[in-house]
């Protein structure tokens, strides 16, 4: 199909499970697991599944979840009575409010996306794949004993803990429009994980309200994790040129300094233009260029999903990024194949709609050249404290 061939000696594994896609957070909720169905349909209509090792993911075991989460939180998560929000107020463990409702099958949903990320990490540890993909994961806000921002179990932390069994140093990179606070906090005290998040930051006005440029980890005496959290706070409307320049410059410096032996890239698609919750002007091309740059480093790479609240754009980005992982992006027809399921949902028949097609009128870019350059010089200074 479409002339896609499996590249010799280069393995990509794809971890998914159609059961995950069937869960519903509730009618008005922005998180729609169904976007994964749309993405999968597009990936398969291009024939990309034939170029990957595909796995139907399994449930994470209780023991695996306890690698990060507390027993009492997991007990509660497993037995909580379905409580769709009647008011805004969350209850125990921040569950049951409007951001993190307790919906039908919640514990299965969490165990399944976590199982997929854990399996993907193990493929990398065993050298059974060069790039492992779990688009259903990337739920970066979940804490040890607390749900937060549509995230209940932190599959990224669980995957990184797997990688740390084999890998001395893991670089975590997060291009979701929100700050990757849960992952940052989990590895606050170790110098074996460096976390780097790019996000919209506007003090407490944008969720979760953390991720200022100065936040590089608690530098109390003797904390080896000090200086290993890097944050790139951005304003509304950032475009591909600025975003990709920042990404390559900063990731390049982090890799040079920290010398990671594995990379986890959270590909939250809410940083794309036209996202229901996001505020940026990043396009599928720019978002994908971040994935391509990570691939070019030739370090074992785990790709996870994350946010993304305009399903057609999520599907475009993750299909394009799957093609980059496989190495067939250059030969892919940008016209969405006729037989793609739900093709009418894409509105425009291309993988790469223009900003005008996406937005009508682009959002004003509030990121000045000076501000973007200042971010790089500050981070360059911060990295002087990191020794590999
Ligand atoms: O990074 O901003 C908040 C918290 C609130 C405001 C919104 N109300 C509902 C609750 C209290 C302070 N929450 C954010 C969470 C964003 C999580 C991003 C996750 C990720 O992309 C990784 C997966 C937020 N922003 C927007 C909403 N919540 C939100 C918008 C619309 C709705 C519908 C359902 C629920 C209530 C009406 C809701 C939440
Ligand atoms: Ca981010
Ligand atoms: Zn997000």
């Amino acid at each position: 199909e479409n002339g896609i061939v499996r590249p010799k000696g280069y393995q990509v594994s794809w971890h998914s499970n159609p059961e995950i896609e069937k869960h519903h957070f509730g009618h008005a909720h922005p998180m729609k697991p169904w976007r994964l169905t749309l993405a999968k349909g597009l990936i398969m209509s291009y024939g990309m599944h034939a170029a990957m090792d595909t796995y139907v993911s399994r449930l994470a075991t209780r023991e695996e979840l306890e690698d990060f989460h507390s027993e009492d939180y997991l007990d509660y998560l497993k037995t909580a009575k379905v409580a769709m929000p009647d008011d805004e107020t969350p209850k125990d463990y921040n569950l049951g409010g409007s951001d993190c409702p307790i919906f039908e099958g919640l514990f299965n949903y969490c165990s399944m996306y976590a199982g997929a990320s854990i399996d993907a990490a193990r493929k990398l540890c065993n050298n059974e794949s060069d790039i492992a993909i779990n688009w259903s994961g990337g739920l970066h806000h979940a804490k040890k004993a607390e749900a937060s921002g549509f995230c209940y179990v932190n599959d990224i932390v669980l995957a990184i803990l797997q990688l740390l069994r084999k890998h001395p140093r893991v670089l975590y990179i997060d291009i979701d429009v929100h700050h990757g606070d849960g992952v940052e906090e989990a590895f606050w005290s170790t110098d074996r994980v460096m976390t780097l998040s790019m996000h919209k930051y506007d003090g407490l006005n944008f969720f979760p309200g953390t991720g200022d440029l100065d936040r590089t980890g608690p530098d109390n005496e003797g904390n080896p994790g000090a200086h290993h959290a890097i944050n790139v706070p951005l304003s509304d409307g950032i475009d591909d040129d600025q975003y990709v320049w920042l990404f390559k410059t900063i990731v390049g410096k982090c890799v040079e300094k920290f010398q990671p032996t594995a990379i986890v890239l959270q590909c939250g698609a809410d940083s794309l233009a036209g996202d229901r919750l996001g505020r940026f002007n990043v396009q599928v091309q720019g978002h994908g260029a971040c994935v391509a740059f990570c691939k070019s480093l030739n370090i074992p790479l785990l790709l996870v999903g994350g946010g993304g609240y305009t399903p057609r754009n999520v599907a475009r980005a993750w299909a394009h990024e799957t093609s980059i992982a496989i190495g067939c992006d250059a030969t892919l027809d940008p016209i969405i194949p006729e037989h793609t399921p739900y093709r009418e949902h894409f509105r425009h028949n291309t993988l790469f709609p223009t900003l005008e097609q996406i937005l009508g009128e682009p959002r004003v870019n509030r990121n000045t050249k000076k501000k973007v350059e200042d971010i790089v010089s500050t981070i360059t200074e911060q990295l002087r404290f990191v020794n590999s």
Side-chain angles (χ1 to χ4, degrees):
E1 266 172 88
N2 266 309
I4 289 178
V5 285
R6 172 189 285 271
K8 281 231 167 54
Y10 197 83
Q11 303 279 356
V12 178
S13 65
W14 184 33
H15 304 258
S16 69
N17 188 327
E19 288 300 312
I20 300 175
E21 305 153 25
K22 294 179 189 157
H23 292 88
H24 292 277
F25 281 62
H27 182 68
H29 200 286
M31 178 57 99
K32 310 247 177 254
W34 179 81
R35 70 209 172 118
L36 298 165
T37 309
L38 201 61
K40 185 185 286 183
L42 189 54
I43 290 167
M44 294 184 68
S45 74
Y46 275 112
M48 289 188 240
H49 52 299
M52 299 186 276
D53 294 327
T54 60
Y55 297 93
V56 177
S57 40
R58 53 161 187 106
L59 300 170
T61 66
R62 168 85 191 197
E63 231 186 349
E64 288 169 333
L65 296 172
E66 282 177 10
D67 275 348
F68 178 54
H69 295 285
S70 73
E71 297 193 33
D72 55 321
Y73 175 54
L74 292 171
D75 286 340
Y76 191 88
L77 198 60
K78 185 163 184 160
T79 55
K81 292 270 171 306
V82 173
M84 300 309 275
D86 38 12
D87 63 284
E88 292 271 294
T89 333
K91 305 189 173 61
D92 298 332
Y93 305 98
N94 201 29
L95 283 164
S98 44
D99 272 357
C100 302
I102 303 167
F103 53 82
E104 194 69 52
L106 172 62
F107 195 73
N108 265 318
Y109 167 77
C110 297
S111 306
M112 237 176 253
Y113 73 70
S117 285
I118 293 167
D119 276 354
R122 290 203 180 131
K123 284 278 150 201
L124 297 174
C125 284
N126 300 337
N127 297 316
E128 288 172 327
S129 60
D130 301 285
I131 302 182
I133 302 176
N134 171 23
W135 295 130
S136 67
L139 300 166
H140 58 182
H141 298 305
K143 310 290 173 359
K144 180 187 169 86
E146 198 183 280
S148 172
F150 321 160
C151 307
Y152 303 82
V153 158
N154 201 316
D155 63 294
I156 306 169
V157 171
L158 295 171
I160 292 175
L161 289 171
Q162 289 295 323
L163 291 170
L164 288 173
R165 293 179 173 198
K166 279 274 168 67
H167 287 274
R169 287 176 306 280
V170 177
L171 174 62
Y172 171 68
I173 311 169
D174 184 317
I175 60 172
D176 190 288
V177 75
H178 298 97
H179 177 224
D181 57 347
V183 184
E184 180 184 89
E185 188 185 299
F187 298 109
W188 235 189
S189 324
T190 175
D191 55 3
R192 292 182 60 201
V193 179
M194 175 178 278
T195 61
L196 162 61
S197 175
M198 297 174 64
H199 43 263
K200 175 180 165 65
Y201 180 76
D202 184 14
L204 287 176
N205 296 322
F206 193 73
F207 189 86
T210 49
D212 195 2
L213 183 59
D214 295 331
R215 169 165 161 139
T216 60
D219 60 357
N220 49 304
E221 190 149 5
N223 173 22
H227 314 295
H228 284 70
I230 306 294
N231 283 295
V232 184
L234 302 166
S235 304
D236 289 2
I238 191 165
D239 61 22
D240 270 7
D241 285 352
Q242 282 179 327
Y243 196 88
V244 175
W245 180 79
L246 274 170
F247 184 92
K248 290 182 177 174
T249 308
I250 296 168
V251 172
K253 285 173 188 282
C254 290
V255 168
E256 190 187 303
K257 264 293 193 173
F258 183 62
Q259 298 278 313
T261 60
I263 296 179
V264 178
L265 177 59
Q266 195 266 23
C267 302
D270 48 6
S271 43
L272 293 171
D275 188 81
R276 179 174 163 195
L277 300 190
R279 313 285 186 85
F280 293 168
N281 282 348
V282 174
Q283 294 180 259
V284 173
Q285 294 91 321
H287 206 266
C290 299
V291 175
F293 184 76
C294 288
K295 179 183 171 170
S296 76
L297 298 166
N298 281 316
I299 298 170
L301 178 61
L302 173 56
L303 299 178
V304 293
Y309 307 102
T310 302
R312 57 183 178 278
N313 294 334
V314 179
R316 284 185 168 94
W318 292 348
H320 175 54
E321 288 158 17
T322 302
S323 80
I324 289 169
I326 298 167
C328 66
D329 50 306
T331 54
L332 215 64
D333 184 350
I335 304 297
I336 293 174
E338 288 291 343
H339 60 282
T340 302
Y342 310 102
R343 193 173 190 261
E344 64 282 7
H345 283 261
F346 289 95
R347 288 202 194 164
H348 299 93
N349 68 0
T350 168
L351 274 186
F352 308 108
T354 61
L355 276 182
E356 290 66 32
Q357 285 174 324
I358 301 166
L359 293 166
E361 215 175 306
R363 216 176 254 288
V364 177
N365 185 352
R366 304 275 177 205
N367 301 269
T368 61
K369 186 163 186 279
K370 173 161 186 339
K371 199 194 136 180
V372 161
E373 287 169 357
D374 285 352
I375 289 174
V376 169
S377 34
T378 302
I379 290 176
T380 307
E381 281 304 304
Q382 291 169 350
L383 287 172
R384 287 160 52 107
F385 294 98
V386 173
N387 17 335
S388 67

